[in-house]
Amino acid sequence: MKKEHVLIIRFSALGDVAMTVPVVKALAEQYPDVRFTMLSRGFARAFFEDLAPNVSFMEADLSKEYHGVKGLNALYRRLTAKRFTAVADLHNVLRSDFLRLRFNLSHIRVEHINKHRKGKRRLTAKNNKELVRQPTAIENYCEVFERLGYPVKMEPRECDGATVRRCEGNLSPQPPTIGIAPFAAHRGKIYPTEQMEQMVSQLCELHPDCRILLFGGGNKELEVFSRWCQRYPQCSNASQQAGNLREELHLMRQLDVMVSMDSANMHLASLVGTPVVSVWGATHPYAGFMGFGQKEENAIQLDMPCRPCSIYGNKPCHRGDYACLRDIAPARIINKVEQLLDEAKTSS
């Protein structure tokens, strides 16, 4: 009898791939006799390489080595050598559609994600907006595997820094370690830098002995982080200190709390069980991209008739002033951080 071997496809950005990890981990545990291979971009290797004995990783660069139809055909030939018995397309874009078609023609079971685009259009409509919660990314991924014949049960999870420390045997009171990830891919998801610095300054005053680890790459981020590290001795650039994604996740595991935009860092912190105070502007948790195990009560957002106006934060502001972010007072974020720090002390 042919051994079951499932190919899982998800390229895209860091945060999107990170959200597949809890589902793949649960699958591997609940179906130990089934092999699962994750096909993604190279950065994702850190997520899956040691996830479970029956999970393996395949890297594919669709912009270079496997670019265009010729490249996708070459990738398909490489994949057929693995003798997959089923394919789960968790991306559902033109490139994965092409691979799906090839597998279909070879009579391999294939299912793809339903992105619920119609519901999301209503959620972000300028007029006649319907503020209705959409299925989460985790739920959408699980649905694909259920249709393939692998129903997966996701155990409820609550991100709790104190629980992480207890599991690691670290119970002694320590100065707080706070992570801050102030950037995102699009302007509609970025809290104004000046206001974020006010928050950093006030946290340093409240906790003179705290450590503040800054997460984010890119030239703009480096300039801002360098300035903050000079002004506030408690700050250090964690992304620069970490040599790779695995080390960055290790640093996030040490945090008492993370402050993040609706960005990849929210999802990375969620993977290691760190509670996140997430800041939302043009986007909204109702779109289904809240960090796995994070409490929606820890999401900082304003109730505005125009929100949300975008699923990914990449659309221009209807008002032109990004008031959904600008009008969030730094004190509101600080209060939530303080609440989580107090809860961590109590539960420790």
Side-chain angles (χ1 to χ4, degrees):
M1 185 177 177
K2 192 175 182 181
K3 186 175 178 65
E4 294 176 71
H5 190 181
V6 180
L7 173 66
I8 305 169
I9 302 173
R10 180 77 215 208
F11 295 103
S12 192
L14 180 61
D16 296 311
V17 178
M19 283 186 283
T20 68
V21 176
V23 179
V24 176
K25 188 173 189 299
L27 275 167
E29 291 171 353
Q30 293 168 38
Y31 297 93
D33 296 328
V34 179
R35 292 175 60 200
F36 297 95
T37 294
M38 186 74 191
L39 176 68
S40 189
R41 295 163 62 189
F43 67 77
R45 185 177 296 278
F47 294 145
F48 299 99
E49 203 160 42
D50 300 314
L51 191 65
N54 54 333
V55 173
S56 56
F57 179 80
M58 286 184 69
E59 177 180 343
D61 187 341
L62 299 188
S63 62
K64 295 179 181 178
E65 186 179 3
Y66 298 110
H67 181 69
V69 173
K70 183 178 179 181
L72 288 173
N73 278 321
L75 176 57
Y76 172 74
R77 289 192 294 272
R78 177 187 168 199
L79 294 172
T80 54
K82 299 291 184 180
R83 299 182 180 274
F84 293 108
T85 55
V87 177
D89 177 6
L90 305 185
H91 201 171
N92 194 13
V93 293
L94 284 174
R95 290 167 295 183
S96 63
D97 289 352
F98 181 87
L99 292 173
R100 213 167 64 224
L101 173 64
R102 294 298 309 267
F103 279 109
N104 257 323
L105 292 173
S106 298
H107 307 290
I108 304 296
R109 287 184 298 153
V110 176
E111 291 291 348
H112 66 277
I113 190 172
N114 178 355
K115 295 184 177 180
H116 300 277
R117 291 189 175 96
K118 188 179 292 185
K120 289 175 181 175
R121 280 196 296 270
R122 295 189 185 119
L123 179 67
T124 56
K126 189 173 182 179
N127 301 306
N128 302 316
K129 183 184 297 294
E130 296 181 11
L131 197 61
V132 176
R133 188 187 300 274
Q134 300 301 301
T136 68
I138 298 288
E139 290 168 342
N140 290 336
Y141 294 153
C142 289
E143 184 186 29
V144 175
F145 292 107
E146 184 169 3
R147 293 200 306 269
L148 270 182
Y150 302 100
V152 57
K153 183 179 180 182
M154 300 297 296
E155 296 295 334
R157 180 190 181 190
E158 187 174 301
C159 292
D160 180 354
T163 299
V164 172
R165 288 192 299 277
R166 280 198 298 273
C167 291
E168 295 178 349
N170 182 6
L171 299 175
S172 59
Q174 293 182 357
T177 303
I178 302 166
I180 298 179
F183 294 98
H186 305 291
R187 185 180 175 187
K189 299 200 289 187
I190 302 176
Y191 189 57
T193 305
E194 298 79 11
Q195 289 168 249
M196 184 62 83
E197 184 175 356
Q198 291 176 35
M199 191 200 75
V200 171
S201 175
Q202 291 175 45
L203 282 172
C204 290
E205 290 178 12
L206 287 167
H207 305 281
D209 56 350
C210 75
R211 293 173 63 212
I212 295 180
L213 305 185
L214 306 173
F215 293 88
N219 293 331
K220 181 183 177 182
E221 288 90 334
L222 288 174
E223 288 178 15
V224 172
F225 290 174
S226 177
R227 191 164 62 245
W228 289 359
C229 290
Q230 289 176 359
R231 292 175 182 170
Y232 312 103
Q234 295 94 329
C235 289
S236 60
N237 186 338
S239 293
Q240 199 171 47
Q241 292 172 10
N244 52 47
L245 180 57
R246 193 183 298 272
E247 291 178 11
E248 204 159 344
L249 288 168
H250 177 70
L251 288 174
M252 288 186 184
R253 185 184 293 275
Q254 300 174 33
L255 301 175
D256 293 282
V257 61
M258 166 77 92
V259 177
S260 174
M261 308 300 102
D262 166 24
S263 69
N265 283 299
M266 172 179 63
H267 299 294
L268 296 181
S270 300
L271 289 183
V272 296
T274 295
V276 177
V277 176
S278 52
V279 181
W280 301 73
T283 60
H284 197 287
Y286 275 19
F289 299 111
M290 193 75 181
F292 180 60
Q294 299 295 341
K295 297 178 181 178
E296 200 167 304
E297 65 195 57
N298 294 335
I300 305 294
Q301 54 187 329
L302 296 178
D303 186 10
M304 299 175 66
C306 57
R307 283 195 65 241
C309 63
S310 174
I311 295 299
Y312 305 109
N314 56 340
K315 294 183 179 178
C317 174
H318 297 322
R319 297 167 44 116
D321 60 358
Y322 293 93
C324 57
L325 288 158
R326 185 201 64 202
D327 290 352
I328 296 174
R332 187 174 169 194
I333 304 174
I334 291 171
N335 290 340
K336 182 58 70 174
V337 169
E338 291 296 294
Q339 178 189 325
L340 290 178
L341 290 176
D342 287 342
E343 288 177 3
K345 287 179 186 176
T346 303
S347 56
S348 291

